[in-house]
Amino acid sequence: IPREILSLKDLEAKCLETMAPMVRDYLYDGAEEGHTIRENLEVWDRWLVIPRMMRDTSNVNLTPRTHQFNQSWSLPLGIAPSAMQQLAHPFGEKATAAAARSMNIPFGLSTFSNYTIEEVKDAGGDSVVGLQMYLLEGRRDLNIELVKRAEAAGYKAIVLTVDSPVPGNRPGLIKSNFVMPKHMRFRNFSEDFGGPLDQAQDTQFNDDSVTAKIANSSNPDSAAACRQEQTTTSRGNQLIVDPSINWERDMTWLREHTSLEIWVKGVLHPLDAEEAIAHGANGIMVSNHGGRQLDTCVSALDVLPAIVKQVNGRVPVHLDGGIRRGGDIFKALALGADFVWIGRPVWWGLEVAGEEGVRWVIQTLKREFEVVMKLMGCRHVGEIKREMVVTKNGLLSMGGTGVF
Ligand code: HOC
């Protein structure tokens, strides 16, 4: 990573110099007008921090307060599931998982990955903890198959995404004529569903041809050809998320089919956190899916305190959505999160330098978080307290005395 790149923001700018337009449009796509995408980024600045001084922070321990997925991690930070990572780098999810492993942080794999459940587990070892899943309409047999494979491969959890009974309205995908380039496959599925045609395909990753093919795919003619080919190879089969998903039937169903932990991802209301726990969830991920599903919905950070209050320590509460600085990790923990996850920054790292780029992202957030901890007077994450963060209105109420 060039020396002049100092922050995730710098890395993003570097990434955008080379990222193919179609991939960029996919990555940045948000629902409708993009209000929630912007909200996810702006919400962090609405919270200000109040530091304490002279507390001997020569040694700071950044490890999470409690084990998550029965493991001890170097940071309260993980890599959230995101689909089709080969769009950013030929080694895709394998590179991301390997970076997570080298930094001892957890990694969640999207079902719609370009490497298999087993390949990614091999690359990421103990860091590969979760398999993200949608429940598929009329094809629960495929869901069961995925769950069994995750169990056999040694995953710890199924991460059930509950915010997508239907895909959000995403104009960007249509405008950029998005289609997964034809050399990429949904390798967890059979050929009928966009899966392997040629299992040996990664032998071709020694040159720039893959990147070139992605670039070509953003040409409308080429994209149309890809779409045509995909339709043909998938023989008209499509995987559709089940719009009838509901707490009672589906959590019960999933519990019957797996002994793994079940994490519910996409909760934004305290009563849904309650439903998740009532139906056996082992953990909750507060998330609005990177602003990609429902526009103008709240940011995860804004609803976090209410959800933490409702959950009251019964299960861990994790959060994703707009983490770009080490200070953001601090704020999320102060407002009650046990752990945070990142999505898009991983793609910036992948695009710029593959595994090394993702590692750089994690290292940068770690370094920033450590400095913030020291400046805040916290020697370990157990010393991060709710009263250390405040909104300006909160601070100014009662003539500035209210929060002290
Ligand atoms: C058939 C491809 O969650 C996103 C992902 C969607 C998963 C890709 C499915 O883009 O937000």
Side-chain angles (χ1 to χ4, degrees):
I1 301 288
R3 284 174 59 86
E4 67 273 16
I5 296 182
L6 300 176
S7 65
L8 268 57
K9 204 169 192 168
D10 295 341
L11 184 70
E12 178 180 19
K14 182 81 187 158
C15 157
L16 291 175
E17 287 173 11
T18 56
M19 187 169 253
M22 182 188 75
V23 178
R24 180 199 60 210
D25 291 349
Y26 167 71
L27 180 62
Y28 282 85
D29 208 11
E32 299 182 351
E33 309 289 331
H35 288 290
T36 296
I37 287 214
R38 288 190 292 280
E39 182 71 7
N40 284 357
L41 296 174
E42 288 165 9
V43 67
W44 301 95
D45 293 340
R46 293 205 285 269
W47 288 93
L48 308 173
V49 290
I50 306 177
R52 296 297 308 278
M53 307 300 157
M54 302 282 279
R55 290 168 61 86
D56 184 3
T57 48
S58 39
N59 289 306
V60 168
N61 184 347
L62 301 178
T63 57
R65 265 186 293 253
T66 52
H67 283 194
Q68 305 289 316
F69 310 104
N70 284 325
Q71 278 171 240
S72 155
W73 305 103
S74 65
L75 274 176
L77 172 77
I79 295 183
S82 60
M84 298 181 274
Q85 293 184 14
Q86 244 180 13
L87 287 168
H89 189 272
F91 293 135
E93 295 84 2
K94 288 205 295 191
T96 307
R101 176 187 223 165
S102 70
M103 293 297 293
N104 188 28
I105 69 164
F107 168 89
L109 180 67
S110 162
T111 293
F112 292 99
S113 53
N114 301 128
Y115 285 100
T116 65
I117 289 169
E118 297 79 10
E119 287 166 331
V120 176
K121 184 71 182 162
D122 278 351
D126 287 344
S127 278
V128 180
V129 291
L131 175 67
Q132 176 275 343
M133 266 188 10
Y134 296 103
L135 295 182
L136 303 168
E137 186 175 42
R139 294 310 305 252
R140 293 296 167 89
D141 56 322
L142 297 179
N143 282 118
I144 294 174
E145 199 183 301
L146 293 166
V147 165
K148 296 301 163 205
R149 283 172 61 186
E151 286 176 358
Y155 285 59
K156 300 279 176 67
I158 298 298
V159 179
L160 182 67
T161 301
V162 295
D163 58 22
S164 307
V166 292
N169 294 318
R170 297 194 197 166
L173 288 192
I174 298 164
K175 280 188 194 147
S176 66
N177 205 10
F178 180 84
V179 66
M180 188 169 74
K182 59 187 173 185
H183 64 279
M184 291 170 46
R185 309 298 298 165
F186 291 129
R187 292 180 77 173
N188 287 321
F189 295 98
S190 66
E191 193 175 323
D192 286 355
F193 296 101
L197 283 176
D198 170 18
Q199 282 289 351
Q201 64 168 324
D202 53 354
T203 56
Q204 65 185 276
F205 287 164
N206 296 327
D207 58 35
D208 289 337
S209 62
V210 176
T211 315
K213 282 182 203 164
I214 290 175
N216 288 338
S217 300
S218 44
N219 163 329
D221 292 344
S222 157
C226 290
R227 177 169 294 140
Q228 183 61 40
E229 171 155 328
Q230 295 244 319
T231 311
T232 312
T233 53
S234 69
R235 300 187 191 112
N237 287 321
Q238 265 193 314
L239 294 173
I240 296 172
V241 180
D242 187 345
S244 74
I245 47 170
N246 64 80
W247 291 114
E248 182 57 35
R249 185 194 64 195
D250 295 316
M251 288 291 284
T252 309
W253 178 86
L254 187 54
R255 182 42 79 213
E256 276 167 9
H257 285 93
T258 186
S259 55
L260 297 181
E261 291 186 10
I262 300 174
W263 283 64
V264 174
K265 178 171 179 288
V267 168
L268 291 171
H269 196 294
L271 294 180
D272 277 335
E274 191 59 46
E275 291 275 16
I277 295 172
H279 291 96
N282 300 96
I284 286 167
M285 295 190 170
V286 186
S287 166
N288 61 29
H289 208 126
R292 294 160 87 79
Q293 283 298 99
L294 176 63
D295 200 17
T296 74
C297 83
V298 288
S299 70
L301 190 71
D302 270 343
V303 291
L304 175 71
I307 290 175
V308 168
K309 187 169 172 216
Q310 179 77 34
V311 170
N312 196 20
R314 287 175 289 170
V315 297
V317 176
H318 292 197
L319 167 144
D320 72 33
I323 298 270
R324 301 292 182 266
R325 287 281 188 180
D328 300 340
I329 305 176
F330 186 95
K331 289 176 184 177
L333 266 56
L335 289 169
D338 291 293
F339 218 87
V340 301
W341 297 72
I342 47 170
R344 291 186 180 90
V346 166
W347 285 61
W348 307 336
L350 270 181
E351 170 75 22
V352 172
E355 178 186 334
E356 192 202 326
V358 179
R359 191 163 30 250
W360 185 93
V361 168
I362 304 164
Q363 280 165 342
T364 301
L365 287 173
K366 183 177 185 185
R367 200 167 47 243
E368 290 180 356
F369 181 46
E370 183 171 6
V371 171
V372 170
M373 288 284 283
K374 291 185 177 201
L375 293 174
M376 288 299 297
C378 295
R379 290 156 293 205
H380 56 86
V381 299
E383 290 188 343
I384 303 176
K385 300 291 182 215
R386 170 65 185 82
E387 58 271 20
M388 292 174 170
V389 294
V390 66
T391 61
K392 197 149 200 165
N393 283 344
L395 180 63
L396 296 184
S397 66
M398 290 190 265
T401 61
V403 298
F404 297 103

